[in-house]
Amino acid sequence: MASEQKDYLEVCFENSWYADFSRLRKLDDDETLVEVKKKFDADGDDLGIFFMDSGDAASRYEVEELKDFCRGISLEDVESGIGTAGHRRAVWLDDRSSSQDLERSGHTRQYENPLTATGLRRVLKIPRFGHEGWPDAARRLIYITDLDPACIHALAATASCHQTPVLRNAIYRHLAFQTSIAVKIPSSGFLTFQLDLHLPFFLLTKSTPPEQSVGKVNTKPRRRWIDMSFLKMDTSESQNREPKEVWGIHEAQISCVVAGSDDWRWVGYGFVDTEIDGFLTDLSKDDLSFDRIAAGELEANFPIWRPRDYWLRLFEIRIEQVRKEWEYLIHKVDLSVNQYVRGQTQNTLVR
């Protein structure tokens, strides 16, 4: 009896994966959700359709948050390359055909990384599969620093029906500074998977206080900053080096989402604040040959093909970043508080 119970528990708690994900499946994923909805006379612009008409249950506050963040920028601005859409190079893109694609395996689409939002929209308009001039983009990686309205427009206008719910949820969680470590598989419809990794945390840095962007077009996710200069964290050697810079705690977010239909056809999204990874324009050509979603820890030309393995490797890399930053914050604050307590004690003794 005990042996039977043990076998039952092993079956119940076995680390399983749908068998459908382990075989190449036919996926018609080239038509965008916006194109499909417009055929049925959907109202609104592309961004409105992306936010509200994707067929999944969307909360009102989620839609309001996204629309408010994207105010002041239109898809026409992105198409024409107006403003930051045409000159801010904040996108890294890697498209590769999988080992299961006959006669096209291992081929890579060549892009001039880093791309602008206008460039991103242009290349995402190219069909992922079956294009005569391009290899299939079976495994697609999209990495964006300081996700802004222009990039959101580019993603929204080109998102397929299967990717739209995943992408919109990823964008919202990143902007809203939310945590999520989850595996999501819908109970109905076409079988897909979504692997979430949203890590909000706090960065302690010495820098110029950020400017308020009230009433302006958003250029990056809204993050709070707390002035910590009252703790006097500077050492005696560095107190007078940069008088305009002060110690502060930044909210920062790492978002990595992997979603697809099987082990060979999937998309990885990475949205990371520049306070964490820095600017893509500061990287060399050699640096850009490494996977930016993985913080440059993986060589892009030696890809991890299985989505679960890739996501777990991302988790390992990114959670280590968070751990180091958290330990640094605790260390600096602890030193400062102890120094303050010792100073107060000495003053009391003198009196």
Side-chain angles (χ1 to χ4, degrees):
M1 186 70 174
S3 177
E4 291 179 358
Q5 185 178 22
K6 180 181 178 182
D7 292 341
Y8 173 75
L9 291 174
E10 287 179 351
V11 171
C12 287
F13 294 100
E14 181 183 4
N15 181 16
S16 60
W17 191 241
Y18 280 93
D20 283 349
F21 296 149
S22 299
R23 62 181 178 83
L24 188 65
R25 303 160 69 201
K26 182 176 176 57
L27 177 66
D28 182 14
D29 207 34
D30 273 336
E31 197 168 27
T32 69
L33 174 107
V34 171
E35 291 170 343
V36 171
K37 291 295 183 179
K38 284 184 176 179
K39 288 180 180 179
F40 296 94
D41 299 324
D43 295 329
D45 58 11
D46 289 9
L47 202 61
I49 294 172
F50 173 78
F51 286 157
M52 304 185 67
D53 295 326
S54 59
D56 59 320
S59 61
R60 291 177 61 186
Y61 67 83
E62 177 180 331
V63 173
E64 290 174 0
E65 176 84 13
L66 293 170
K67 292 186 74 172
D68 178 59
F69 179 75
C70 292
R71 72 184 189 281
I73 297 288
S74 67
L75 180 61
E76 290 72 23
D77 295 334
V78 178
E79 291 173 338
S80 303
I82 296 174
T84 58
H87 72 258
R88 192 178 81 95
R89 293 188 173 272
V91 182
W92 180 87
L93 181 63
D94 187 82
D95 284 341
R96 296 172 186 268
S97 56
S98 74
S99 57
Q100 294 295 309
D101 292 328
L102 299 177
E103 299 181 357
R104 305 163 79 88
S105 89
H107 291 175
T108 307
R109 296 188 178 186
Q110 299 299 319
Y111 302 125
E112 292 295 326
N113 286 317
L115 303 173
T116 63
T118 300
L120 175 64
R121 179 191 173 277
R122 185 180 299 120
V123 297
L124 292 184
K125 291 291 288 184
I126 301 170
R128 281 182 68 191
F129 305 105
H131 192 282
E132 292 183 2
W134 293 85
D136 285 349
R139 175 188 181 272
R140 164 167 284 173
L141 304 181
I142 302 174
Y143 169 88
I144 302 174
T145 59
D146 282 347
L147 183 67
D148 66 357
C151 288
I152 292 176
H153 271 285
L155 293 170
T158 55
S160 69
C161 295
H162 292 122
Q163 287 292 324
T164 294
V166 173
L167 182 56
R168 191 180 65 191
N169 181 259
I171 292 172
Y172 171 72
R173 288 191 178 276
H174 183 69
L175 296 180
F177 199 64
Q178 290 191 352
T179 306
S180 177
I181 301 173
V183 177
K184 301 176 183 178
I185 298 174
S187 58
S188 60
F190 186 77
L191 194 64
T192 59
F193 57 83
Q194 175 182 339
L195 311 177
D196 278 359
L197 180 62
H198 295 278
L199 301 173
F201 62 104
F202 298 98
L203 276 172
L204 177 65
T205 59
K206 187 178 182 183
S207 61
T208 304
E211 296 181 1
Q212 298 293 328
S213 60
V214 178
K216 300 179 181 178
V217 173
N218 291 301
T219 57
K220 60 185 299 176
R222 300 162 181 164
R223 304 288 187 230
R224 288 184 300 174
W225 178 82
I226 302 172
D227 187 342
M228 301 294 289
S229 58
F230 65 92
L231 283 179
K232 303 186 184 303
M233 295 183 181
D234 282 318
T235 61
S236 57
E237 294 82 5
S238 61
Q239 283 180 352
N240 299 318
R241 287 183 183 176
E242 296 290 344
K244 293 183 179 180
E245 293 187 341
V246 297
W247 285 99
I249 293 179
H250 286 268
E251 289 183 339
Q253 175 96 357
I254 295 171
S255 294
C256 304
V257 177
V258 174
S261 59
D262 55 58
D263 284 346
W264 297 274
R265 294 183 172 183
W266 49 275
V267 180
Y269 300 100
F271 307 138
V272 183
D273 296 344
T274 51
E275 286 80 9
I276 303 167
D277 281 2
F279 297 94
L280 288 175
T281 49
D282 292 338
L283 300 178
S284 67
K285 187 175 181 180
D286 287 341
D287 291 331
L288 293 171
S289 68
F290 286 81
D291 185 341
R292 302 323 308 175
I293 299 180
E297 295 291 324
L298 302 177
E299 194 168 348
N301 289 325
F302 294 93
I304 298 175
W305 290 107
R306 294 184 64 194
R308 283 181 296 168
D309 294 344
Y310 179 72
W311 184 77
L312 288 172
R313 189 71 179 95
L314 292 180
F315 196 122
E316 180 183 16
I317 292 168
R318 291 301 188 172
I319 203 69
E320 180 66 9
Q321 279 186 296
V322 174
R323 183 191 67 80
K324 288 179 179 179
E325 293 296 342
W326 179 249
E327 288 185 347
Y328 179 70
L329 188 154
I330 295 297
H331 171 72
K332 291 290 288 184
V333 172
D334 188 51
L335 283 177
S336 220
V337 170
N338 287 337
Q339 182 179 344
Y340 173 79
V341 171
R342 285 195 300 270
Q344 291 297 103
T345 303
Q346 290 173 358
N347 291 338
T348 301
L349 293 175
V350 169
R351 291 173 186 173

